[in-house]
Amino acid sequence: MNQAELFFPRPVQQVPIDTTPHEQPEYDAPFVFEATESVPRVAYIARLLEYPAVDAIKVAEQRFRRELDKQLGGEVVSALRAFQNASESGETDLTKDEIALAKRWAKAYDAAKTAGFRDLGDVDEAYFDVRPS
């Protein structure tokens, strides 16, 4: 490239672009938001308490919550309440469904605790606190 080409470029040929509207194919129809069902968010808070290293807490809480959601799905809050009711009253006061849900909570909490504490090292005093929001 020389100075003449640099400062006085040749005109570029324009290519015509087709701007006429086209019909959209059926598979590419616009998304309709009214047709979707809203998925309720799980309304609970899980926090790692009594752990000294602040930088690892967020990751541990995410692992704990992910495992709890995997184990219980959308029944986290109801399982937590069933477990609390079971620990505060006797088995005769609870229905079979509540007892089963409380047992599921205990298993799910243990699995989530194991996942949350993975790679954290010594965690003698640390624990996960789960509360409905």
Side-chain angles (χ1 to χ4, degrees):
M1 178 181 283
N2 60 27
Q3 270 190 327
E5 291 174 338
L6 180 64
F7 293 106
F8 303 105
R10 291 183 224 147
V12 179
Q13 267 193 351
Q14 298 283 333
V15 178
I17 300 174
D18 183 21
T19 58
T20 58
H22 298 285
E23 288 187 35
Q24 291 182 341
E26 189 174 319
Y27 62 87
D28 198 23
F31 187 75
V32 179
F33 287 100
E34 291 80 24
T36 61
E37 294 181 23
S38 63
V39 178
R41 272 191 61 93
V42 179
Y44 70 94
I45 299 169
R47 291 204 171 117
L48 177 59
L49 302 175
E50 304 293 327
Y51 189 74
V54 177
D55 56 339
I57 289 177
K58 192 86 159 163
V59 174
E61 288 174 348
Q62 288 173 348
R63 281 195 303 248
F64 177 84
R65 189 175 176 118
R66 192 174 333 145
E67 185 64 28
L68 204 58
D69 288 340
K70 187 171 90 173
Q71 295 284 328
L72 295 171
E75 296 181 327
V76 174
V77 175
S78 57
L80 173 62
R81 288 190 178 129
F83 181 78
Q84 289 170 342
N85 289 341
S87 63
E88 293 171 359
S89 61
E91 284 190 25
T92 58
D93 299 335
L94 302 172
T95 65
K96 289 182 180 183
D97 292 337
E98 287 177 322
I99 293 169
L101 201 54
K103 288 180 181 179
R104 282 186 60 207
W105 168 262
K107 289 179 184 178
Y109 183 85
D110 285 340
K113 184 174 73 170
T114 302
F117 284 140
R118 185 182 66 221
D119 301 332
L120 290 186
D122 188 23
V123 290
D124 289 335
E125 299 172 0
Y127 64 96
F128 285 97
D129 181 42
V130 181
R131 295 180 185 201
S133 59

